[in-house]
Amino acid sequence: MSTNPRETRSLPVPEGLAGMRVDAALAKLLGLSRTVAANLSADGDVLVDGTAVGKSERLHEGAWLEVTLPEPAKPLVPKEELVEGMDILYFDDDLIAVHKPVGVVAHPTVGWEGPTVVGGLAAAGFRISTSGPPERKGIVQRLDVGTSGVMVVAASERGYSSLKNAFRERNVSKTYHALVQGLPDPIEGTVDGSIGRHPSAGWKFAVTDDGKRAITHYRLLEAFREASLLEISLETGRTHQIRVHMSALGHPCCGDPMYGSDPNLAQRLGLQRQWLHAVKVGFHHPGDGHWMEIEAPYPDDLADALGKLRQ
């Protein structure tokens, strides 16, 4: 796991949270539980305009909010038993959630000889559902090889059926963080643009009239001189969706030359890939139906790049 210090988020209080209690606002803004938010306030980890505030304080629009987040949970299985850099975030009889590192694909594909999520899980002794196509057994979602973060794999046939249907019916919340160039205007919005193969480069994608509909919601988390940290939620799951939509807005992901990023900025930040991370997935458990959310902390390369901007 990363040895970086606790992460701090800084941003202005948006209009929609004006007048709201600190604990309720943090729950809505950062996806924390009310209890965690209250504990952060009690520990002096929530500042408004530089002053520590209690959980019941009311926020006002435009105030500068700084929150030092709690330390991420430790992996459940030692790294040496898995693909290098891949942690187990959660597992039970129906599902396994992993922190997929960059450079690892979800399942074996033609021409790929590197590590895979299913191969790493099998090597660590986990049972994976036998449902699905032969090369994709147990796979209910995928992340690009260059994207890190939470990825869920079905461990049982019940888990596969339930989770596959949930992703198909868009009953899963998928939250990403992306560091993009510049400052989007507006700082919160929705991109609704169909995505298809790029007309002049078949190995990449673009917003096209004849593509599949794709919807991306974004909002500003933290602004810097050259870049912005965004929280992004997806209604659809098209290939390269976030990278394509952010590029179409004129704000490509930092470290993503395929979609127009500045290589000089990437070099200054030490990025070898796009700054894009799947931070949280939420869904109803296949067994008893309770809502659960699984989060993955930033890996070292993304945290280091963010640290350079904050300095």
Side-chain angles (χ1 to χ4, degrees):
M1 296 292 288
S2 170
T3 57
N4 289 289
R6 291 169 62 191
E7 180 186 352
T8 299
R9 297 275 179 80
S10 304
L11 69 159
V13 175
E15 178 182 358
L17 298 185
M20 190 176 291
R21 283 170 52 113
V22 166
D23 54 355
L26 292 184
K28 182 176 179 62
L29 189 65
L30 301 177
L32 304 172
S33 70
R34 290 281 288 268
T35 300
V36 169
N39 289 339
L40 290 177
S41 296
D43 292 339
D45 290 330
V46 181
L47 306 181
V48 174
D49 291 335
T51 301
V53 294
K55 65 179 181 180
S56 59
E57 292 284 336
R58 301 283 176 173
L59 296 176
H60 57 276
E61 182 182 355
W64 197 255
L65 179 65
E66 295 179 70
V67 183
T68 301
L69 299 178
E71 293 184 13
K74 297 187 182 300
L76 299 175
V77 175
K79 276 187 177 182
E80 56 268 18
E81 297 182 21
L82 299 165
V83 168
E84 183 179 358
M86 187 170 82
D87 297 334
I88 300 298
L89 300 171
Y90 175 88
F91 69 94
D92 61 27
D93 290 341
D94 290 310
L95 64 100
I96 311 158
V98 305
H99 184 174
K100 188 194 84 66
V102 65
V104 178
V105 300
H107 55 78
T109 58
V110 176
W112 177 259
E113 297 181 354
T116 67
V117 171
V118 294
L121 290 176
F126 285 92
R127 181 189 185 276
I128 300 174
S129 170
T130 57
S131 300
E135 73 282 5
R136 299 198 301 272
K137 290 187 182 300
I139 296 296
V140 294
Q141 64 155 148
R142 287 178 287 183
L143 293 177
D144 293 342
V145 63
T147 301
S148 56
V150 183
M151 182 179 150
V152 178
V153 179
S156 68
E157 282 57 59
R158 176 177 68 176
Y160 182 88
S161 177
S162 174
L163 291 169
K164 192 70 175 178
N165 184 66
F167 277 98
R168 184 186 304 114
E169 299 298 322
R170 303 180 187 175
N171 292 326
V172 175
S173 68
K174 296 174 284 185
T175 305
Y176 293 75
H177 285 179
L179 187 69
V180 303
Q181 293 180 193
L183 178 65
D185 184 14
I187 61 173
E188 183 171 352
T190 297
V191 185
D192 187 345
S194 298
I195 291 178
R197 291 283 180 181
H198 194 285
S200 61
W203 39 268
K204 60 187 290 189
F205 293 81
V207 173
T208 61
D209 292 335
D210 58 351
K212 294 181 179 180
R213 191 181 185 195
I215 302 174
T216 302
H217 305 285
Y218 72 89
R219 65 185 180 90
L220 178 68
L221 289 178
E222 200 168 351
F224 308 98
R225 184 172 63 85
E226 296 179 280
S228 300
L229 181 65
L230 304 182
E231 180 178 87
I232 296 176
S233 60
L234 300 181
E235 285 193 32
T236 53
R238 309 305 177 200
T239 302
H240 295 184
Q241 178 172 325
I242 294 173
R243 299 165 65 192
V244 170
H245 274 173
M246 291 299 104
S247 178
L249 288 182
H251 301 283
C253 293
C254 296
D256 191 7
M258 179 184 293
Y259 290 104
S261 70
D262 178 359
N264 294 319
L265 177 59
Q267 184 176 21
R268 289 198 298 274
L269 297 180
L271 287 172
Q272 301 295 320
R273 49 106 169 194
Q274 68 265 14
W275 204 113
L276 179 61
H277 184 66
V279 293
K280 181 166 62 177
V281 175
F283 51 89
H284 292 284
H285 191 275
D288 60 15
H290 78 275
W291 181 258
M292 62 185 301
E293 294 181 340
I294 301 171
E295 301 184 40
Y298 297 157
D300 288 347
D301 61 335
L302 302 190
D304 290 345
L306 203 55
K308 289 182 172 69
L309 286 174
R310 287 173 173 155
Q311 290 173 1

PDB file of all heavy atoms in Angstrom, residues 232-261:
ATOM      1  N   ILE A 232     -15.834  12.123 -11.010  1.00  0.00           N
ATOM      2  CA  ILE A 232     -16.615  11.781 -12.195  1.00  0.00           C
ATOM      3  C   ILE A 232     -17.459  10.547 -11.914  1.00  0.00           C
ATOM      4  O   ILE A 232     -16.965   9.555 -11.374  1.00  0.00           O
ATOM      5  CB  ILE A 232     -15.684  11.521 -13.395  1.00  0.00           C
ATOM      6  CG1 ILE A 232     -14.941  12.815 -13.754  1.00  0.00           C
ATOM      7  CG2 ILE A 232     -16.464  10.986 -14.586  1.00  0.00           C
ATOM      8  CD1 ILE A 232     -13.925  12.667 -14.845  1.00  0.00           C
ATOM      9  N   SER A 233     -18.725  10.627 -12.268  1.00  0.00           N
ATOM     10  CA  SER A 233     -19.604   9.462 -12.149  1.00  0.00           C
ATOM     11  C   SER A 233     -20.145   9.130 -13.536  1.00  0.00           C
ATOM     12  O   SER A 233     -20.439  10.030 -14.332  1.00  0.00           O
ATOM     13  CB  SER A 233     -20.756   9.719 -11.168  1.00  0.00           C
ATOM     14  OG  SER A 233     -21.545  10.814 -11.590  1.00  0.00           O
ATOM     15  N   LEU A 234     -20.268   7.853 -13.817  1.00  0.00           N
ATOM     16  CA  LEU A 234     -20.673   7.387 -15.145  1.00  0.00           C
ATOM     17  C   LEU A 234     -22.064   6.769 -15.116  1.00  0.00           C
ATOM     18  O   LEU A 234     -22.369   5.969 -14.234  1.00  0.00           O
ATOM     19  CB  LEU A 234     -19.687   6.344 -15.670  1.00  0.00           C
ATOM     20  CG  LEU A 234     -18.225   6.782 -15.827  1.00  0.00           C
ATOM     21  CD1 LEU A 234     -17.401   5.625 -16.377  1.00  0.00           C
ATOM     22  CD2 LEU A 234     -18.122   7.985 -16.724  1.00  0.00           C
ATOM     23  N   GLU A 235     -22.872   7.134 -16.081  1.00  0.00           N
ATOM     24  CA  GLU A 235     -24.141   6.442 -16.290  1.00  0.00           C
ATOM     25  C   GLU A 235     -23.947   5.276 -17.244  1.00  0.00           C
ATOM     26  O   GLU A 235     -24.686   4.297 -17.199  1.00  0.00           O
ATOM     27  CB  GLU A 235     -25.193   7.402 -16.858  1.00  0.00           C
ATOM     28  CG  GLU A 235     -25.765   8.380 -15.849  1.00  0.00           C
ATOM     29  CD  GLU A 235     -27.001   9.075 -16.360  1.00  0.00           C
ATOM     30  OE1 GLU A 235     -27.756   8.455 -17.149  1.00  0.00           O
ATOM     31  OE2 GLU A 235     -27.222  10.230 -15.978  1.00  0.00           O
ATOM     32  N   THR A 236     -22.974   5.398 -18.126  1.00  0.00           N
ATOM     33  CA  THR A 236     -22.675   4.351 -19.109  1.00  0.00           C
ATOM     34  C   THR A 236     -21.223   3.925 -18.920  1.00  0.00           C
ATOM     35  O   THR A 236     -20.486   4.529 -18.145  1.00  0.00           O
ATOM     36  CB  THR A 236     -22.884   4.882 -20.535  1.00  0.00           C
ATOM     37  OG1 THR A 236     -22.133   6.092 -20.694  1.00  0.00           O
ATOM     38  CG2 THR A 236     -24.359   5.170 -20.794  1.00  0.00           C
ATOM     39  N   GLY A 237     -20.814   2.891 -19.638  1.00  0.00           N
ATOM     40  CA  GLY A 237     -19.454   2.383 -19.480  1.00  0.00           C
ATOM     41  C   GLY A 237     -18.792   2.105 -20.811  1.00  0.00           C
ATOM     42  O   GLY A 237     -18.401   0.982 -21.096  1.00  0.00           O
ATOM     43  N   ARG A 238     -18.670   3.139 -21.645  1.00  0.00           N
ATOM     44  CA  ARG A 238     -18.039   2.977 -22.958  1.00  0.00           C
ATOM     45  C   ARG A 238     -16.515   2.955 -22.831  1.00  0.00           C
ATOM     46  O   ARG A 238     -15.947   3.533 -21.900  1.00  0.00           O
ATOM     47  CB  ARG A 238     -18.449   4.113 -23.903  1.00  0.00           C
ATOM     48  CG  ARG A 238     -19.946   4.349 -24.004  1.00  0.00           C
ATOM     49  CD  ARG A 238     -20.701   3.105 -24.400  1.00  0.00           C
ATOM     50  NE  ARG A 238     -22.146   3.358 -24.422  1.00  0.00           N
ATOM     51  CZ  ARG A 238     -23.071   2.412 -24.362  1.00  0.00           C
ATOM     52  NH1 ARG A 238     -22.687   1.140 -24.268  1.00  0.00           N
ATOM     53  NH2 ARG A 238     -24.351   2.721 -24.405  1.00  0.00           N
ATOM     54  N   THR A 239     -15.869   2.321 -23.792  1.00  0.00           N
ATOM     55  CA  THR A 239     -14.410   2.265 -23.796  1.00  0.00           C
ATOM     56  C   THR A 239     -13.821   3.671 -23.853  1.00  0.00           C
ATOM     57  O   THR A 239     -14.224   4.477 -24.693  1.00  0.00           O
ATOM     58  CB  THR A 239     -13.914   1.442 -25.001  1.00  0.00           C
ATOM     59  OG1 THR A 239     -14.476   0.131 -24.946  1.00  0.00           O
ATOM     60  CG2 THR A 239     -12.397   1.335 -24.995  1.00  0.00           C
ATOM     61  N   HIS A 240     -12.896   3.969 -22.948  1.00  0.00           N
ATOM     62  CA  HIS A 240     -12.208   5.258 -22.886  1.00  0.00           C
ATOM     63  C   HIS A 240     -13.173   6.417 -22.649  1.00  0.00           C
ATOM     64  O   HIS A 240     -12.854   7.569 -22.964  1.00  0.00           O
ATOM     65  CB  HIS A 240     -11.417   5.523 -24.170  1.00  0.00           C
ATOM     66  CG  HIS A 240     -10.294   4.574 -24.418  1.00  0.00           C
ATOM     67  ND1 HIS A 240      -9.423   4.699 -25.489  1.00  0.00           N
ATOM     68  CD2 HIS A 240      -9.885   3.463 -23.742  1.00  0.00           C
ATOM     69  CE1 HIS A 240      -8.542   3.711 -25.462  1.00  0.00           C
ATOM     70  NE2 HIS A 240      -8.815   2.946 -24.413  1.00  0.00           N
ATOM     71  N   GLN A 241     -14.348   6.151 -22.056  1.00  0.00           N
ATOM     72  CA  GLN A 241     -15.385   7.186 -21.971  1.00  0.00           C
ATOM     73  C   GLN A 241     -14.912   8.481 -21.314  1.00  0.00           C
ATOM     74  O   GLN A 241     -15.095   9.567 -21.867  1.00  0.00           O
ATOM     75  CB  GLN A 241     -16.606   6.649 -21.212  1.00  0.00           C
ATOM     76  CG  GLN A 241     -17.712   7.688 -21.045  1.00  0.00           C
ATOM     77  CD  GLN A 241     -18.980   7.097 -20.464  1.00  0.00           C
ATOM     78  OE1 GLN A 241     -19.317   5.955 -20.742  1.00  0.00           O
ATOM     79  NE2 GLN A 241     -19.694   7.877 -19.676  1.00  0.00           N
ATOM     80  N   ILE A 242     -14.312   8.386 -20.130  1.00  0.00           N
ATOM     81  CA  ILE A 242     -13.887   9.601 -19.426  1.00  0.00           C
ATOM     82  C   ILE A 242     -12.806  10.321 -20.221  1.00  0.00           C
ATOM     83  O   ILE A 242     -12.845  11.551 -20.388  1.00  0.00           O
ATOM     84  CB  ILE A 242     -13.383   9.251 -18.016  1.00  0.00           C
ATOM     85  CG1 ILE A 242     -14.536   8.707 -17.165  1.00  0.00           C
ATOM     86  CG2 ILE A 242     -12.756  10.472 -17.348  1.00  0.00           C
ATOM     87  CD1 ILE A 242     -14.104   8.183 -15.804  1.00  0.00           C
ATOM     88  N   ARG A 243     -11.859   9.588 -20.740  1.00  0.00           N
ATOM     89  CA  ARG A 243     -10.764  10.197 -21.488  1.00  0.00           C
ATOM     90  C   ARG A 243     -11.274  10.911 -22.736  1.00  0.00           C
ATOM     91  O   ARG A 243     -10.838  12.030 -23.051  1.00  0.00           O
ATOM     92  CB  ARG A 243      -9.745   9.112 -21.870  1.00  0.00           C
ATOM     93  CG  ARG A 243      -9.135   8.423 -20.653  1.00  0.00           C
ATOM     94  CD  ARG A 243      -8.422   7.124 -21.028  1.00  0.00           C
ATOM     95  NE  ARG A 243      -7.265   7.374 -21.870  1.00  0.00           N
ATOM     96  CZ  ARG A 243      -6.611   6.401 -22.512  1.00  0.00           C
ATOM     97  NH1 ARG A 243      -7.019   5.131 -22.404  1.00  0.00           N
ATOM     98  NH2 ARG A 243      -5.565   6.697 -23.249  1.00  0.00           N
ATOM     99  N   VAL A 244     -12.222  10.295 -23.431  1.00  0.00           N
ATOM    100  CA  VAL A 244     -12.788  10.896 -24.639  1.00  0.00           C
ATOM    101  C   VAL A 244     -13.615  12.135 -24.302  1.00  0.00           C
ATOM    102  O   VAL A 244     -13.479  13.193 -24.928  1.00  0.00           O
ATOM    103  CB  VAL A 244     -13.652   9.868 -25.397  1.00  0.00           C
ATOM    104  CG1 VAL A 244     -14.443  10.543 -26.526  1.00  0.00           C
ATOM    105  CG2 VAL A 244     -12.783   8.755 -25.969  1.00  0.00           C
ATOM    106  N   HIS A 245     -14.486  12.027 -23.298  1.00  0.00           N
ATOM    107  CA  HIS A 245     -15.356  13.152 -22.958  1.00  0.00           C
ATOM    108  C   HIS A 245     -14.561  14.333 -22.409  1.00  0.00           C
ATOM    109  O   HIS A 245     -14.848  15.494 -22.742  1.00  0.00           O
ATOM    110  CB  HIS A 245     -16.416  12.706 -21.956  1.00  0.00           C
ATOM    111  CG  HIS A 245     -17.615  12.102 -22.609  1.00  0.00           C
ATOM    112  ND1 HIS A 245     -18.631  11.504 -21.894  1.00  0.00           N
ATOM    113  CD2 HIS A 245     -17.970  12.022 -23.912  1.00  0.00           C
ATOM    114  CE1 HIS A 245     -19.559  11.065 -22.733  1.00  0.00           C
ATOM    115  NE2 HIS A 245     -19.170  11.361 -23.956  1.00  0.00           N
ATOM    116  N   MET A 246     -13.565  14.079 -21.574  1.00  0.00           N
ATOM    117  CA  MET A 246     -12.776  15.190 -21.055  1.00  0.00           C
ATOM    118  C   MET A 246     -11.974  15.861 -22.172  1.00  0.00           C
ATOM    119  O   MET A 246     -11.830  17.085 -22.206  1.00  0.00           O
ATOM    120  CB  MET A 246     -11.839  14.702 -19.943  1.00  0.00           C
ATOM    121  CG  MET A 246     -12.555  14.276 -18.660  1.00  0.00           C
ATOM    122  SD  MET A 246     -13.509  15.619 -17.891  1.00  0.00           S
ATOM    123  CE  MET A 246     -15.183  15.151 -18.358  1.00  0.00           C
ATOM    124  N   SER A 247     -11.461  15.063 -23.089  1.00  0.00           N
ATOM    125  CA  SER A 247     -10.741  15.617 -24.236  1.00  0.00           C
ATOM    126  C   SER A 247     -11.677  16.458 -25.107  1.00  0.00           C
ATOM    127  O   SER A 247     -11.296  17.536 -25.594  1.00  0.00           O
ATOM    128  CB  SER A 247     -10.120  14.485 -25.058  1.00  0.00           C
ATOM    129  OG  SER A 247      -9.448  14.993 -26.200  1.00  0.00           O
ATOM    130  N   ALA A 248     -12.918  15.988 -25.273  1.00  0.00           N
ATOM    131  CA  ALA A 248     -13.892  16.728 -26.079  1.00  0.00           C
ATOM    132  C   ALA A 248     -14.224  18.076 -25.455  1.00  0.00           C
ATOM    133  O   ALA A 248     -14.558  19.033 -26.165  1.00  0.00           O
ATOM    134  CB  ALA A 248     -15.160  15.897 -26.259  1.00  0.00           C
ATOM    135  N   LEU A 249     -14.130  18.175 -24.130  1.00  0.00           N
ATOM    136  CA  LEU A 249     -14.363  19.446 -23.436  1.00  0.00           C
ATOM    137  C   LEU A 249     -13.158  20.376 -23.532  1.00  0.00           C
ATOM    138  O   LEU A 249     -13.232  21.541 -23.111  1.00  0.00           O
ATOM    139  CB  LEU A 249     -14.678  19.197 -21.954  1.00  0.00           C
ATOM    140  CG  LEU A 249     -16.032  18.605 -21.582  1.00  0.00           C
ATOM    141  CD1 LEU A 249     -16.147  18.500 -20.072  1.00  0.00           C
ATOM    142  CD2 LEU A 249     -17.175  19.446 -22.144  1.00  0.00           C
ATOM    143  N   GLY A 250     -12.046  19.849 -24.020  1.00  0.00           N
ATOM    144  CA  GLY A 250     -10.824  20.639 -24.061  1.00  0.00           C
ATOM    145  C   GLY A 250      -9.994  20.513 -22.810  1.00  0.00           C
ATOM    146  O   GLY A 250      -9.082  21.321 -22.581  1.00  0.00           O
ATOM    147  N   HIS A 251     -10.281  19.492 -21.999  1.00  0.00           N
ATOM    148  CA  HIS A 251      -9.563  19.280 -20.738  1.00  0.00           C
ATOM    149  C   HIS A 251      -9.161  17.809 -20.617  1.00  0.00           C
ATOM    150  O   HIS A 251      -9.707  17.073 -19.791  1.00  0.00           O
ATOM    151  CB  HIS A 251     -10.431  19.697 -19.550  1.00  0.00           C
ATOM    152  CG  HIS A 251     -10.859  21.127 -19.592  1.00  0.00           C
ATOM    153  ND1 HIS A 251     -10.016  22.155 -19.257  1.00  0.00           N
ATOM    154  CD2 HIS A 251     -12.036  21.695 -19.968  1.00  0.00           C
ATOM    155  CE1 HIS A 251     -10.657  23.307 -19.406  1.00  0.00           C
ATOM    156  NE2 HIS A 251     -11.880  23.056 -19.832  1.00  0.00           N
ATOM    157  N   PRO A 252      -8.215  17.355 -21.442  1.00  0.00           N
ATOM    158  CA  PRO A 252      -7.809  15.945 -21.395  1.00  0.00           C
ATOM    159  C   PRO A 252      -7.192  15.573 -20.056  1.00  0.00           C
ATOM    160  O   PRO A 252      -6.683  16.432 -19.325  1.00  0.00           O
ATOM    161  CB  PRO A 252      -6.781  15.847 -22.525  1.00  0.00           C
ATOM    162  CG  PRO A 252      -6.243  17.234 -22.666  1.00  0.00           C
ATOM    163  CD  PRO A 252      -7.408  18.140 -22.388  1.00  0.00           C
ATOM    164  N   CYS A 253      -7.236  14.293 -19.732  1.00  0.00           N
ATOM    165  CA  CYS A 253      -6.587  13.809 -18.521  1.00  0.00           C
ATOM    166  C   CYS A 253      -5.085  14.058 -18.621  1.00  0.00           C
ATOM    167  O   CYS A 253      -4.474  13.830 -19.670  1.00  0.00           O
ATOM    168  CB  CYS A 253      -6.829  12.314 -18.331  1.00  0.00           C
ATOM    169  SG  CYS A 253      -8.541  11.856 -17.993  1.00  0.00           S
ATOM    170  N   CYS A 254      -4.499  14.526 -17.539  1.00  0.00           N
ATOM    171  CA  CYS A 254      -3.053  14.717 -17.510  1.00  0.00           C
ATOM    172  C   CYS A 254      -2.372  13.367 -17.751  1.00  0.00           C
ATOM    173  O   CYS A 254      -2.812  12.336 -17.240  1.00  0.00           O
ATOM    174  CB  CYS A 254      -2.620  15.286 -16.163  1.00  0.00           C
ATOM    175  SG  CYS A 254      -3.267  16.941 -15.812  1.00  0.00           S
ATOM    176  N   GLY A 255      -1.311  13.385 -18.546  1.00  0.00           N
ATOM    177  CA  GLY A 255      -0.586  12.155 -18.824  1.00  0.00           C
ATOM    178  C   GLY A 255      -1.240  11.274 -19.864  1.00  0.00           C
ATOM    179  O   GLY A 255      -0.938  10.085 -19.926  1.00  0.00           O
ATOM    180  N   ASP A 256      -2.135  11.836 -20.693  1.00  0.00           N
ATOM    181  CA  ASP A 256      -2.873  11.051 -21.687  1.00  0.00           C
ATOM    182  C   ASP A 256      -2.637  11.617 -23.091  1.00  0.00           C
ATOM    183  O   ASP A 256      -3.527  12.242 -23.676  1.00  0.00           O
ATOM    184  CB  ASP A 256      -4.366  11.065 -21.351  1.00  0.00           C
ATOM    185  CG  ASP A 256      -5.157  10.057 -22.167  1.00  0.00           C
ATOM    186  OD1 ASP A 256      -4.543   9.255 -22.904  1.00  0.00           O
ATOM    187  OD2 ASP A 256      -6.398  10.065 -22.076  1.00  0.00           O
ATOM    188  N   PRO A 257      -1.445  11.411 -23.664  1.00  0.00           N
ATOM    189  CA  PRO A 257      -1.143  11.991 -24.980  1.00  0.00           C
ATOM    190  C   PRO A 257      -2.048  11.480 -26.098  1.00  0.00           C
ATOM    191  O   PRO A 257      -2.243  12.175 -27.092  1.00  0.00           O
ATOM    192  CB  PRO A 257       0.324  11.583 -25.211  1.00  0.00           C
ATOM    193  CG  PRO A 257       0.546  10.392 -24.325  1.00  0.00           C
ATOM    194  CD  PRO A 257      -0.317  10.633 -23.127  1.00  0.00           C
ATOM    195  N   MET A 258      -2.602  10.277 -25.937  1.00  0.00           N
ATOM    196  CA  MET A 258      -3.510   9.755 -26.965  1.00  0.00           C
ATOM    197  C   MET A 258      -4.684  10.699 -27.191  1.00  0.00           C
ATOM    198  O   MET A 258      -5.187  10.832 -28.309  1.00  0.00           O
ATOM    199  CB  MET A 258      -4.021   8.364 -26.578  1.00  0.00           C
ATOM    200  CG  MET A 258      -4.989   7.762 -27.605  1.00  0.00           C
ATOM    201  SD  MET A 258      -5.695   6.176 -27.095  1.00  0.00           S
ATOM    202  CE  MET A 258      -4.252   5.132 -27.117  1.00  0.00           C
ATOM    203  N   TYR A 259      -5.109  11.373 -26.108  1.00  0.00           N
ATOM    204  CA  TYR A 259      -6.265  12.261 -26.214  1.00  0.00           C
ATOM    205  C   TYR A 259      -5.908  13.728 -25.984  1.00  0.00           C
ATOM    206  O   TYR A 259      -6.748  14.520 -25.562  1.00  0.00           O
ATOM    207  CB  TYR A 259      -7.361  11.790 -25.263  1.00  0.00           C
ATOM    208  CG  TYR A 259      -7.988  10.489 -25.724  1.00  0.00           C
ATOM    209  CD1 TYR A 259      -7.674   9.279 -25.100  1.00  0.00           C
ATOM    210  CD2 TYR A 259      -8.843  10.446 -26.820  1.00  0.00           C
ATOM    211  CE1 TYR A 259      -8.220   8.079 -25.546  1.00  0.00           C
ATOM    212  CE2 TYR A 259      -9.381   9.256 -27.279  1.00  0.00           C
ATOM    213  CZ  TYR A 259      -9.077   8.081 -26.640  1.00  0.00           C
ATOM    214  OH  TYR A 259      -9.617   6.883 -27.087  1.00  0.00           O
ATOM    215  N   GLY A 260      -4.651  14.085 -26.288  1.00  0.00           N
ATOM    216  CA  GLY A 260      -4.321  15.494 -26.380  1.00  0.00           C
ATOM    217  C   GLY A 260      -3.687  16.152 -25.177  1.00  0.00           C
ATOM    218  O   GLY A 260      -3.663  17.385 -25.093  1.00  0.00           O
ATOM    219  N   SER A 261      -3.143  15.395 -24.236  1.00  0.00           N
ATOM    220  CA  SER A 261      -2.534  16.021 -23.057  1.00  0.00           C
ATOM    221  C   SER A 261      -1.181  16.636 -23.405  1.00  0.00           C
ATOM    222  O   SER A 261      -0.562  16.300 -24.413  1.00  0.00           O
ATOM    223  CB  SER A 261      -2.369  14.997 -21.930  1.00  0.00           C
ATOM    224  OG  SER A 261      -1.355  14.059 -22.268  1.00  0.00           O
TER     225      SER A 261
END
